Amino acid sequence: MRGSEFAELKAFVAVVDRASFAKAADHLGLSRSALSQIIRQLESRLGVRLLNRTTRSVSPTEPGRRLHERIAPMLRDMDEAVAQAIGINARTAGTLRINTLSMAAKKVIAPRLGRFAKAHPDVVLDIVINDGLSDIAGEGFDAGIRVGGRLQKDMVAVRLTPDIDLLAVASPDYLARHGEPKTPAELSHHACINWRFPGSGKVAGWEFKKKGKGVEFFGDGTVISNHQDIVVPAALQGLGIFYAYNDDGIAEALQDGRLKRVLSDWSPTVPGLYLYYSSRRYMLPALRAFIDCLLDRDIGTDDSSTSGSVR
């Protein structure tokens, strides 16, 4: 294979992985027009259209999808083989693509951005916030951050936080008007603010547990959303009961009395936040540095977090 043909295939994979000519061009260090020309040359050489383009999106055609499925893993393996050959002498540089929950972005990543950038100025952090499940390897990400119970299989996982409480909360005004439920069954008489998973579109069930007995509840209400900026204000404004991870916004509202917890004896804890990456991929120096930063190892703190394959 000639060098120009290899460059065309690498450019094609970059476009499909990022679903964007602009992002792929930035990643490859090309102008968007130069990248478009490379893709046109590839399509002309193969005699088939590989990408569907609109003013707002780009996606592979069926032949493009089949080509991407075959060559993307090969190109990633080649990149990793080169990185592994370089070994410990590799410079901590390049683009690190992270797919994370919004809760993790706010709680774990954002407070450490400045410190990481100062320590590793040659690393570009490309952080995508997505509260759904993602195929990080298939979508070109180096790592993801999720709640432990929702990790993909065959991944190496690094615990970032302790276990997280699930909380059923409502405003004092709502509870004054409708009363406090004492069991999950009583939620059927209440308005429930529901969470819809991005990607799958499914509405999350509320899982309760007490003395080894588990109950899953699906409630009705006037608000369903896939974003914290909607569901938390809905609870604060007295529109119903919300069941969620105990993130900073909820904790602050509980502390200052804007929200009140209910069904605390039925609400379990769930595995904490984990960073995960493919067990089949060589760990890039930039990813190792990022993990050390998230665990505060880079400032000499003693951390007891463990890592290993989570099945």
Side-chain angles (χ1 to χ4, degrees):
M1 180 185 295
R2 294 177 300 178
S4 60
E5 294 173 349
F6 178 80
E8 289 170 357
L9 293 173
K10 191 166 186 178
F12 166 71
V13 169
V15 173
V16 175
D17 282 348
R18 290 157 182 79
S20 166
F21 270 87
K23 292 179 180 178
D26 288 343
H27 172 71
L28 296 169
L30 299 170
S31 67
R32 186 170 178 177
S33 60
L35 178 58
S36 296
Q37 179 62 27
I38 291 172
I39 297 300
R40 283 195 294 269
Q41 290 172 354
L42 175 62
E43 291 177 324
S44 177
R45 181 167 63 83
L46 299 182
V48 63
R49 184 161 57 90
L50 299 173
L51 297 172
N52 291 316
R53 306 168 178 83
T54 70
T55 56
R56 294 188 177 182
S57 66
V58 57
S59 62
T61 62
E62 183 57 26
R65 183 190 64 78
R66 292 197 301 267
L67 178 63
H68 181 269
E69 285 181 352
R70 294 293 300 274
I71 67 172
M74 298 178 191
L75 292 177
R76 280 194 286 268
D77 286 345
M78 290 175 66
D79 288 340
E80 289 161 16
V82 171
Q84 193 166 12
I86 296 172
I88 60 173
N89 294 322
R91 188 166 61 99
T92 304
T95 297
L96 188 65
R97 301 192 73 227
I98 305 294
N99 188 299
T100 179
L101 292 172
S102 56
M103 174 173 62
K106 180 180 178 181
K107 185 180 184 69
V108 180
I109 298 177
R112 296 168 174 83
L113 284 174
R115 194 173 79 231
F116 184 84
K118 183 177 180 180
H120 307 286
D122 294 325
V123 176
V124 176
L125 290 179
D126 184 351
I127 299 170
V128 174
I129 298 175
N130 179 0
D131 287 316
L133 289 175
S134 296
D135 177 6
I136 60 166
E139 296 177 23
F141 290 98
D142 297 300
I145 300 178
R146 291 292 182 275
V147 172
R150 301 185 67 212
L151 299 183
Q152 293 174 309
K153 294 181 180 179
D154 302 322
M155 290 284 163
V156 176
V158 180
R159 180 187 279 270
L160 300 178
T161 70
D163 289 350
I164 301 171
D165 292 328
L166 280 170
L167 306 178
V169 297
S171 71
D173 174 67
Y174 174 86
L175 296 174
R177 288 183 283 117
H178 300 280
E180 295 186 22
K182 302 302 181 184
T183 67
E186 293 180 19
L187 288 170
S188 60
H189 304 297
H190 287 267
C192 297
I193 299 165
N194 284 305
W195 176 264
R196 188 183 300 280
F197 288 116
S200 70
K202 293 181 180 179
V203 174
W206 296 8
E207 297 180 358
F208 296 97
K209 195 171 186 179
K210 184 177 182 180
K211 296 181 180 179
K213 179 182 178 182
V215 176
E216 186 173 25
F217 176 80
F218 291 88
D220 296 321
T222 58
V223 176
I224 304 172
S225 183
N226 65 352
H227 203 283
Q228 290 288 93
D229 288 349
I230 293 296
V231 289
V232 174
L236 289 168
Q237 294 171 37
L239 301 185
I241 297 174
F242 181 49
Y243 195 50
Y245 299 131
N246 183 19
D247 69 3
D248 292 340
I250 298 230
E252 291 169 5
L254 287 170
Q255 186 174 6
D256 62 25
R258 289 176 295 144
L259 288 177
K260 183 177 180 181
R261 188 174 179 181
V262 297
L263 296 173
S264 58
D265 55 339
W266 279 92
S267 302
T269 59
V270 295
L273 294 170
Y274 285 75
L275 179 143
Y276 64 103
Y277 60 94
S278 174
S279 60
R280 291 170 288 184
R281 297 193 66 177
Y282 172 72
M283 182 185 283
L284 300 172
L287 178 56
R288 188 180 302 277
F290 186 67
I291 291 172
D292 285 344
C293 183
L294 296 187
L295 294 176
D296 295 327
R297 291 173 180 164
D298 58 343
I299 57 174
T301 58
D302 179 36
D303 190 275
S304 59
S305 300
T306 59
S307 65
S309 295
V310 175
R311 308 280 177 173

